[in-house]
Amino acid sequence: MPARLLIEGGVALKGEVAVSAAKNAALPALAAALLTARPLTLTNVPELGDVRTMLKLLATLGARVERRGREVTLTVERVTSDLAPYELVSTMRASVLVLGPLVARHGSARVALPGGCAIGVRPIDQHLKGLAKLGAEIVIENGYVVARASRLKGARISTDMVTVTGTENLMMAAALAEGVTVIENAAREPEVGDLAVLLAAMGARLDGIGTGRIEIQGVPELAGAVHRVVPDRIEAGTLLVAGAITHGDVRVTDMVPDHLAAVLAKLDECGVALETGPSWVRVRAGERARAADIVTSPFPGFPTDMQAQLMTLLGLADGQSTVTETIFENRFMHAAELARMGASITTDGSIAIVRGVDAYQGAPVMASDLRASAALVLAGLAARGRTEVSRIYHLDRGYERLETKLAALGARIERRP
Ligand code: EPU
């Protein structure tokens, strides 16, 4: 049987917990190693399923991987293969982040089309449209994107919607293109900003990071760099909700409170007491949370990656809340599992109506994707009795030893093989 988590609910979490580096910043940072022949070192790479998958993929493309604990050095003296195979891309969509760097540095890439996943269809048409604007010739052959270019040329690109990995792919490609690229409607997520910091350290020339208009002056070559990956705002938010939902007192450290402003504002609206320092937030929640409405949107809006966790808190709040998911069309899979624990949630398309109940009951539940898994763990922490969360390989893709961190705060939680 795949690994599960057993949780005895009802313990108020107390203490201090440090956040790991962001999965969604580490993955593009690793892919950026393809842009240079020189070594690229990341100093705080989290131990995650998705990081292992990315390292495996990069190794098949020609990267020498040296790992000393959390420090990873990648050296791609030569790209030895341009193929990102379906086996890897289908387990992790972020594999598509090798597309831009491969075309820019090597002149060709064959990357399996990711296909849909548990939370939505998730096309990559904007990545392809942008690369075509930069001069790549792109065809779809037997389920693979085949892209070729001698040297990419700077261009003005406007994406139809805000896309995080799309912006990252295009930034990496444009960094080695000839001339100036402008990306309009660019993603403003902190993970995009972190990639920009890394690219700048490698010698790229970028402007407008953190705004919707990024300008990149291409250079012929990039150098190596040493980089510390930005803290994981979604892990930080998840741990804060763990404190709130158990009526605990938890200080989450090594985080950037500004990156979580929309979530902190919502917790405040729910009546959760927060104290914020330069790199930490303390949560104390004595009372029952108040209902609140959430609408997910690109940064700096409320992140879709925190929607499931907040819904879990709202499921126990006083009153009725509405949760509107605008980024992904199928990201309410946790609602049906929460209902098995006693939640009262009805969904209709992109809207969930959450009527707060007094308590959750422990139950066997199944994780369907990464953030849904986190939501079920949170529900288990608050529930009366025992919860068993199965299929936690989803959780392990993006949270570094979440159960160890929760146990250190007093949670009765155990991993079973
Ligand atoms: N979209 C398109 N065409 C494209 C690209 C995106 O239609 O070419 C649509 C998507 O289907 C979606 C919306 O645009 O409806 C936004 O998708 P986006 O491209 O921003 O998502 P992503 O880059 O694939 C990243 C994170 C996700 C996070 C989203 C939104 C990484 C590796 N992944 O995905 O993280 O939910 O941005 O913020 O950065 C997670 O960590 O659990 C996770 C799913």
Side-chain angles (χ1 to χ4, degrees):
M1 187 186 271
R4 314 157 278 150
L5 288 179
L6 295 186
I7 307 166
E8 285 291 340
V11 180
L13 301 190
K14 285 199 171 57
E16 196 168 289
V17 59
V19 168
S20 302
K23 163 183 84 88
N24 289 347
L27 296 175
L30 292 168
L34 290 168
L35 292 167
T36 173
R38 307 292 305 154
L40 171 67
T41 299
L42 303 178
T43 56
N44 59 338
V45 176
E47 276 279 349
L48 299 172
D50 276 5
V51 165
R52 284 188 285 276
T53 306
M54 183 57 94
L55 291 176
K56 202 159 139 190
L57 172 58
L58 293 172
T60 71
L61 302 177
R64 194 171 75 232
V65 180
E66 294 158 83
R67 192 160 190 171
R68 296 163 300 275
R70 285 163 183 273
E71 193 170 300
V72 174
T73 298
L74 295 171
T75 313
V76 191
E77 266 166 43
R78 227 163 40 82
V79 174
T80 54
S81 159
D82 69 356
L83 180 72
Y86 182 65
E87 300 80 75
L88 291 176
V89 180
S90 60
T91 58
M92 185 185 72
R93 303 180 51 83
S95 306
V96 76
L97 284 164
V98 303
L99 180 60
L102 277 178
V103 185
R105 160 117 181 262
H106 183 65
S108 73
R110 290 171 295 154
V111 176
L113 271 174
C117 78
I119 61 177
V121 183
R122 304 183 73 181
I124 57 162
D125 57 304
Q126 301 301 313
H127 303 229
L128 304 187
K129 213 172 91 179
L131 285 173
K133 277 255 178 182
L134 295 175
E137 187 192 306
I138 295 177
V139 288
I140 306 291
E141 266 174 29
N142 306 107
Y144 278 74
V145 175
V146 180
R148 285 195 187 85
S150 44
R151 169 124 193 245
L152 296 173
K153 291 206 169 47
R156 177 175 292 269
I157 302 167
S158 180
T159 54
D160 294 346
M161 77 287 295
V162 175
T163 156
V164 175
T165 50
T167 302
E168 292 165 346
N169 237 336
L170 296 174
M171 275 163 61
M172 290 191 278
L176 284 181
E178 191 185 330
V180 178
T181 297
V182 175
I183 307 174
E184 305 272 11
N185 206 17
R188 291 181 280 166
E189 270 66 4
E191 294 74 23
V192 175
D194 195 51
L195 176 65
V197 171
L198 168 61
L199 292 174
M202 293 168 75
R205 294 167 58 190
L206 311 103
D207 219 356
I209 294 305
T211 76
R213 183 181 186 278
I214 299 177
E215 197 173 312
I216 302 151
Q217 165 78 56
V219 294
E221 238 177 47
L222 290 169
V226 179
H227 179 69
R228 189 172 171 80
V229 181
V230 75
D232 195 323
R233 64 196 163 102
I234 305 302
E235 187 197 352
T238 304
L239 292 166
L240 288 170
V241 174
I245 204 168
T246 60
H247 300 293
D249 181 353
V250 173
R251 205 163 88 110
V252 179
T253 68
D254 298 56
M255 62 175 285
V256 184
D258 277 353
H259 291 173
L260 208 57
V263 173
L264 298 179
K266 208 39 86 172
L267 287 172
D268 182 60
E269 194 182 320
C270 289
V272 174
L274 298 170
E275 195 187 327
T276 302
S279 61
W280 55 266
V281 176
R282 179 179 178 187
V283 62
R284 264 172 302 172
E287 309 280 295
R288 183 178 183 189
R290 289 195 293 270
D293 296 334
I294 298 175
V295 182
T296 63
S297 63
F299 192 86
F302 190 94
T304 173
D305 291 345
M306 277 301 296
Q307 177 257 108
Q309 300 89 315
L310 246 290
M311 187 189 286
T312 307
L313 180 69
L314 296 174
L316 293 175
D318 187 10
Q320 177 172 306
S321 307
T322 304
V323 177
T324 309
E325 171 59 57
T326 73
I327 308 291
F328 293 113
E329 60 278 15
N330 190 29
R331 214 176 197 184
F332 284 149
M333 305 268 277
H334 45 282
E337 293 301 293
L338 289 174
R340 303 195 58 258
M341 302 179 70
S344 172
I345 303 171
T346 49
T347 60
D348 183 7
S350 62
I351 296 177
I353 306 288
V354 184
R355 289 174 203 83
V357 295
D358 290 337
Y360 292 143
Q361 296 129 37
V365 287
M366 204 175 272
S368 55
D369 72 77
L370 171 57
R371 308 302 169 188
S373 322
L376 297 176
V377 170
L378 294 172
L381 293 174
R384 295 191 179 133
R386 168 184 281 220
T387 295
E388 181 177 325
V389 185
S390 56
R391 300 200 179 165
I392 54 161
Y393 50 85
H394 291 294
L395 190 76
D396 295 333
R397 287 183 54 180
Y399 287 91
E400 195 179 35
R401 297 176 291 104
L402 184 63
E403 77 278 10
T404 313
K405 293 190 181 188
L406 293 171
L409 296 171
R412 283 177 296 198
I413 183 167
E414 218 178 281
R415 179 180 289 256
R416 287 284 166 83

